[in-house]
PDB file of all heavy atoms in Angstrom:
ATOM      1  N   SER M 103     -16.811  46.026 237.546  1.00  0.00           N
ATOM      2  CA  SER M 103     -17.683  45.514 236.486  1.00  0.00           C
ATOM      3  C   SER M 103     -18.305  46.649 235.687  1.00  0.00           C
ATOM      4  O   SER M 103     -18.397  46.574 234.456  1.00  0.00           O
ATOM      5  CB  SER M 103     -18.785  44.644 237.081  1.00  0.00           C
ATOM      6  OG  SER M 103     -18.244  43.502 237.702  1.00  0.00           O
ATOM      7  N   VAL M 104     -18.735  47.686 236.381  1.00  0.00           N
ATOM      8  CA  VAL M 104     -19.344  48.831 235.691  1.00  0.00           C
ATOM      9  C   VAL M 104     -18.336  49.498 234.765  1.00  0.00           C
ATOM     10  O   VAL M 104     -18.681  49.974 233.689  1.00  0.00           O
ATOM     11  CB  VAL M 104     -19.927  49.836 236.719  1.00  0.00           C
ATOM     12  CG1 VAL M 104     -20.256  51.160 236.076  1.00  0.00           C
ATOM     13  CG2 VAL M 104     -21.147  49.248 237.387  1.00  0.00           C
ATOM     14  N   LEU M 105     -17.072  49.505 235.168  1.00  0.00           N
ATOM     15  CA  LEU M 105     -16.047  50.109 234.323  1.00  0.00           C
ATOM     16  C   LEU M 105     -15.616  49.200 233.172  1.00  0.00           C
ATOM     17  O   LEU M 105     -15.265  49.680 232.092  1.00  0.00           O
ATOM     18  CB  LEU M 105     -14.826  50.483 235.170  1.00  0.00           C
ATOM     19  CG  LEU M 105     -15.065  51.603 236.189  1.00  0.00           C
ATOM     20  CD1 LEU M 105     -13.821  51.788 237.053  1.00  0.00           C
ATOM     21  CD2 LEU M 105     -15.435  52.890 235.500  1.00  0.00           C
ATOM     22  N   VAL M 106     -15.636  47.901 233.372  1.00  0.00           N
ATOM     23  CA  VAL M 106     -15.122  46.963 232.379  1.00  0.00           C
ATOM     24  C   VAL M 106     -16.184  46.556 231.353  1.00  0.00           C
ATOM     25  O   VAL M 106     -15.853  46.302 230.195  1.00  0.00           O
ATOM     26  CB  VAL M 106     -14.525  45.722 233.089  1.00  0.00           C
ATOM     27  CG1 VAL M 106     -14.213  44.614 232.116  1.00  0.00           C
ATOM     28  CG2 VAL M 106     -13.285  46.118 233.863  1.00  0.00           C
ATOM     29  N   VAL M 107     -17.429  46.485 231.738  1.00  0.00           N
ATOM     30  CA  VAL M 107     -18.494  45.992 230.845  1.00  0.00           C
ATOM     31  C   VAL M 107     -18.569  46.786 229.541  1.00  0.00           C
ATOM     32  O   VAL M 107     -18.630  46.172 228.461  1.00  0.00           O
ATOM     33  CB  VAL M 107     -19.853  45.952 231.584  1.00  0.00           C
ATOM     34  CG1 VAL M 107     -21.000  45.844 230.606  1.00  0.00           C
ATOM     35  CG2 VAL M 107     -19.876  44.779 232.537  1.00  0.00           C
ATOM     36  N   PRO M 108     -18.570  48.119 229.536  1.00  0.00           N
ATOM     37  CA  PRO M 108     -18.644  48.816 228.245  1.00  0.00           C
ATOM     38  C   PRO M 108     -17.469  48.501 227.317  1.00  0.00           C
ATOM     39  O   PRO M 108     -17.655  48.380 226.099  1.00  0.00           O
ATOM     40  CB  PRO M 108     -18.645  50.301 228.628  1.00  0.00           C
ATOM     41  CG  PRO M 108     -19.067  50.344 230.038  1.00  0.00           C
ATOM     42  CD  PRO M 108     -18.634  49.062 230.650  1.00  0.00           C
ATOM     43  N   VAL M 109     -16.292  48.332 227.896  1.00  0.00           N
ATOM     44  CA  VAL M 109     -15.121  48.004 227.075  1.00  0.00           C
ATOM     45  C   VAL M 109     -15.280  46.622 226.462  1.00  0.00           C
ATOM     46  O   VAL M 109     -15.066  46.420 225.254  1.00  0.00           O
ATOM     47  CB  VAL M 109     -13.827  48.081 227.916  1.00  0.00           C
ATOM     48  CG1 VAL M 109     -12.626  47.610 227.119  1.00  0.00           C
ATOM     49  CG2 VAL M 109     -13.627  49.486 228.438  1.00  0.00           C
ATOM     50  N   LEU M 110     -15.690  45.658 227.260  1.00  0.00           N
ATOM     51  CA  LEU M 110     -15.877  44.302 226.742  1.00  0.00           C
ATOM     52  C   LEU M 110     -16.990  44.236 225.707  1.00  0.00           C
ATOM     53  O   LEU M 110     -16.873  43.520 224.712  1.00  0.00           O
ATOM     54  CB  LEU M 110     -16.167  43.340 227.893  1.00  0.00           C
ATOM     55  CG  LEU M 110     -14.986  43.043 228.822  1.00  0.00           C
ATOM     56  CD1 LEU M 110     -15.404  42.128 229.953  1.00  0.00           C
ATOM     57  CD2 LEU M 110     -13.840  42.443 228.038  1.00  0.00           C
ATOM     58  N   VAL M 111     -18.067  44.973 225.938  1.00  0.00           N
ATOM     59  CA  VAL M 111     -19.166  44.985 224.968  1.00  0.00           C
ATOM     60  C   VAL M 111     -18.681  45.537 223.637  1.00  0.00           C
ATOM     61  O   VAL M 111     -18.989  44.995 222.570  1.00  0.00           O
ATOM     62  CB  VAL M 111     -20.364  45.808 225.512  1.00  0.00           C
ATOM     63  CG1 VAL M 111     -21.362  46.123 224.413  1.00  0.00           C
ATOM     64  CG2 VAL M 111     -21.046  45.059 226.632  1.00  0.00           C
ATOM     65  N   THR M 112     -17.905  46.599 223.684  1.00  0.00           N
ATOM     66  CA  THR M 112     -17.391  47.183 222.445  1.00  0.00           C
ATOM     67  C   THR M 112     -16.439  46.235 221.727  1.00  0.00           C
ATOM     68  O   THR M 112     -16.480  46.103 220.506  1.00  0.00           O
ATOM     69  CB  THR M 112     -16.667  48.510 222.749  1.00  0.00           C
ATOM     70  OG1 THR M 112     -17.578  49.376 223.424  1.00  0.00           O
ATOM     71  CG2 THR M 112     -16.199  49.175 221.475  1.00  0.00           C
ATOM     72  N   LEU M 113     -15.602  45.553 222.477  1.00  0.00           N
ATOM     73  CA  LEU M 113     -14.639  44.648 221.857  1.00  0.00           C
ATOM     74  C   LEU M 113     -15.303  43.363 221.340  1.00  0.00           C
ATOM     75  O   LEU M 113     -15.022  42.906 220.241  1.00  0.00           O
ATOM     76  CB  LEU M 113     -13.540  44.292 222.852  1.00  0.00           C
ATOM     77  CG  LEU M 113     -12.597  45.422 223.223  1.00  0.00           C
ATOM     78  CD1 LEU M 113     -11.627  44.963 224.296  1.00  0.00           C
ATOM     79  CD2 LEU M 113     -11.855  45.926 222.011  1.00  0.00           C
ATOM     80  N   VAL M 114     -16.195  42.788 222.121  1.00  0.00           N
ATOM     81  CA  VAL M 114     -16.771  41.488 221.781  1.00  0.00           C
ATOM     82  C   VAL M 114     -17.843  41.633 220.699  1.00  0.00           C
ATOM     83  O   VAL M 114     -17.878  40.852 219.751  1.00  0.00           O
ATOM     84  CB  VAL M 114     -17.343  40.799 223.036  1.00  0.00           C
ATOM     85  CG1 VAL M 114     -18.119  39.549 222.661  1.00  0.00           C
ATOM     86  CG2 VAL M 114     -16.226  40.463 223.988  1.00  0.00           C
ATOM     87  N   PHE M 115     -18.730  42.622 220.826  1.00  0.00           N
ATOM     88  CA  PHE M 115     -19.857  42.734 219.917  1.00  0.00           C
ATOM     89  C   PHE M 115     -19.601  43.712 218.780  1.00  0.00           C
ATOM     90  O   PHE M 115     -20.481  43.972 217.977  1.00  0.00           O
ATOM     91  CB  PHE M 115     -21.115  43.154 220.668  1.00  0.00           C
ATOM     92  CG  PHE M 115     -21.565  42.120 221.670  1.00  0.00           C
ATOM     93  CD1 PHE M 115     -21.825  42.484 222.977  1.00  0.00           C
ATOM     94  CD2 PHE M 115     -21.726  40.810 221.299  1.00  0.00           C
ATOM     95  CE1 PHE M 115     -22.248  41.548 223.883  1.00  0.00           C
ATOM     96  CE2 PHE M 115     -22.142  39.862 222.210  1.00  0.00           C
ATOM     97  CZ  PHE M 115     -22.408  40.227 223.512  1.00  0.00           C
ATOM     98  N   ASN M 116     -18.414  44.289 218.697  1.00  0.00           N
ATOM     99  CA  ASN M 116     -18.031  45.188 217.614  1.00  0.00           C
ATOM    100  C   ASN M 116     -19.004  46.374 217.497  1.00  0.00           C
ATOM    101  O   ASN M 116     -19.451  46.726 216.416  1.00  0.00           O
ATOM    102  CB  ASN M 116     -17.938  44.443 216.288  1.00  0.00           C
ATOM    103  CG  ASN M 116     -17.207  45.253 215.246  1.00  0.00           C
ATOM    104  OD1 ASN M 116     -16.505  46.213 215.584  1.00  0.00           O
ATOM    105  ND2 ASN M 116     -17.369  44.901 213.990  1.00  0.00           N
ATOM    106  N   ARG M 117     -19.333  46.974 218.632  1.00  0.00           N
ATOM    107  CA  ARG M 117     -20.196  48.152 218.626  1.00  0.00           C
ATOM    108  C   ARG M 117     -19.324  49.395 218.590  1.00  0.00           C
ATOM    109  O   ARG M 117     -18.470  49.596 219.436  1.00  0.00           O
ATOM    110  CB  ARG M 117     -21.069  48.192 219.884  1.00  0.00           C
ATOM    111  CG  ARG M 117     -22.094  47.115 219.924  1.00  0.00           C
ATOM    112  CD  ARG M 117     -22.988  47.313 221.121  1.00  0.00           C
ATOM    113  NE  ARG M 117     -23.911  46.191 221.247  1.00  0.00           N
ATOM    114  CZ  ARG M 117     -24.727  46.040 222.272  1.00  0.00           C
ATOM    115  NH1 ARG M 117     -24.732  46.905 223.258  1.00  0.00           N
ATOM    116  NH2 ARG M 117     -25.541  45.015 222.312  1.00  0.00           N
TER     117      ARG M 117
END
Side-chain angles (χ1 to χ4, degrees):
S103 296
V104 166
L105 293 175
V106 169
V107 163
V109 174
L110 289 178
V111 166
T112 303
L113 291 176
V114 172
F115 296 129
N116 195 17
R117 292 186 186 174

